[in-house]
Amino acid sequence: MDWNVPKFPLDTLSDQGLDWLTDHGSWLTRAVSRTVSDWIDVLTAALVAVPAWVFIGLAALATTRIGGRKIGLLTLFGLLFLWNLRLWQATVETLVLVSLSTVTALVIGIPVGIWFALSRRAWRTFSPILDMMQTLPSFVYLIPALPFFGLGAVSACFATIVFSVPPVIRLTALGIRNVPSELVEASDAFGGSTTQKLFKVQLPLALPTIMAGVNQTMMLALSMVVIAAMIGAGGLGRAVWQSIQRLEAGAGFEAGIGIVILAVILDRSTQALADRARPHGAA
């Protein structure tokens, strides 16, 4: 079918916009790339330098304290299994990438979520952008990452942050908005300032919902590890991607099981933190 209406040059405009940002912001992206790359290298080297059995023992103790004996045993046997599969280096690289991406997403997302909760205008203005971010296929986030940061773990970290930040923004805003109005009015009646009301009433009561956002952000970050391997990220995602390229089903299954084990450990641990943050007597 022939179209007489001229095509809107979205592809050309996008290319021009990326070129402009790359040309005028290269000084910033190079500085960010060096800093993030150094952090990734330092954290990975530090964790690899710790004997695997020591790291596994400490992780098991920490998760036991957070979520109880079942989660602690899951962590212990899960990580021991990954060590036995000779996937420890890849596991550490994945943990560093996921942890750094998640922490950065939370540092960005929680303040933005607070802003959205306190400003209806900001929420109405930027909510469609969050909808778009959650609707776009995850592969799309690799496109702007490459011109800015090139191949490697830094681009993977950038794409993972953008992909995983919407849930914590939404759930932070939701948690604060769902604080009972009676408690907010009581704070106002006792002369509480906006800051006091936020930090002593709204955020503590919204903490379980915020922790649910932390959980979702971490799970989305972990779901990106295989896709991020396509642009040079390491870890278990690289092992899966290499096994696909080489048609090595067994190696790919091992690395895939490793990702599942990490996902279950992180999911159960953050859920336990959310349960602990829930006020006593809450449903």
Side-chain angles (χ1 to χ4, degrees):
M1 180 178 178
D2 294 330
W3 289 84
N4 295 323
V5 179
K7 175 182 177 292
F8 183 75
L10 181 59
D11 52 352
T12 303
L13 293 174
S14 299
D15 289 338
Q16 291 175 349
L18 281 175
D19 290 340
W20 186 88
L21 289 172
T22 303
D23 293 339
H24 292 81
S26 59
W27 60 273
L28 177 61
T29 57
R30 282 197 297 266
V32 171
S33 181
R34 285 194 298 268
T35 302
V36 175
S37 180
D38 289 343
W39 270 102
I40 292 173
D41 292 341
V42 168
L43 290 173
T44 302
L47 292 180
V48 170
V50 177
W53 62 271
V54 174
F55 184 95
I56 293 170
L58 292 175
L61 289 174
T63 51
T64 299
R65 186 173 181 82
I66 291 171
R69 187 172 61 180
K70 289 184 178 180
I71 298 177
L73 290 175
L74 171 66
T75 302
L76 177 64
F77 290 113
L79 295 181
L80 284 174
F81 185 58
L82 293 179
W83 186 22
N84 177 262
L85 292 178
R86 309 298 189 267
L87 291 173
W88 186 248
Q89 174 78 28
T91 300
V92 169
E93 292 175 359
T94 299
L95 280 173
V96 169
L97 178 62
V98 171
S99 299
L100 191 58
S101 300
T102 301
V103 169
T104 306
L106 297 181
V107 169
I108 296 170
I110 292 177
V112 172
I114 293 172
W115 178 37
F116 286 175
L118 300 180
S119 172
R120 294 283 182 180
R121 179 178 297 178
W123 173 252
R124 287 194 299 267
T125 302
F126 293 102
S127 179
I129 297 177
L130 292 180
D131 295 336
M132 183 185 70
M133 291 172 66
Q134 292 188 286
T135 305
L136 284 174
S138 53
F139 287 94
V140 175
Y141 294 106
L142 304 182
I143 298 173
L146 290 174
F148 292 142
F149 305 107
L151 292 171
V154 178
S155 287
C157 192
F158 170 83
T160 302
I161 292 167
V162 177
F163 178 66
S164 62
V165 74
V168 73
I169 295 177
R170 285 187 179 279
L171 289 173
T172 298
L174 178 66
I176 293 175
R177 285 182 179 174
N178 284 345
V179 172
S181 58
E182 295 84 358
L183 297 178
V184 176
E185 292 169 359
S187 175
D188 292 333
F190 281 99
S193 65
T194 301
T195 302
Q196 290 173 326
K197 181 170 60 178
L198 176 64
F199 286 98
K200 294 185 178 181
V201 178
Q202 292 171 306
L203 282 179
L205 292 174
L207 190 56
T209 307
I210 295 173
M211 288 304 303
V214 173
N215 175 273
Q216 292 301 306
T217 294
M218 186 173 291
M219 291 300 100
L220 286 178
L222 191 57
S223 72
M224 279 288 287
V225 296
V226 177
I227 297 171
M230 297 173 62
I231 56 173
L236 295 168
R238 178 192 290 171
V240 172
W241 181 240
Q242 288 177 344
S243 68
I244 293 173
Q245 293 176 312
R246 299 170 183 172
L247 298 178
E248 297 175 345
F253 182 72
E254 285 185 347
I257 286 295
I259 295 173
V260 171
I261 290 172
L262 277 185
V264 172
I265 292 172
L266 294 175
D267 179 59
R268 296 295 183 271
S269 299
T270 51
Q271 282 187 10
L273 284 173
D275 290 339
R276 292 180 65 175
R278 195 178 304 279
H280 295 295

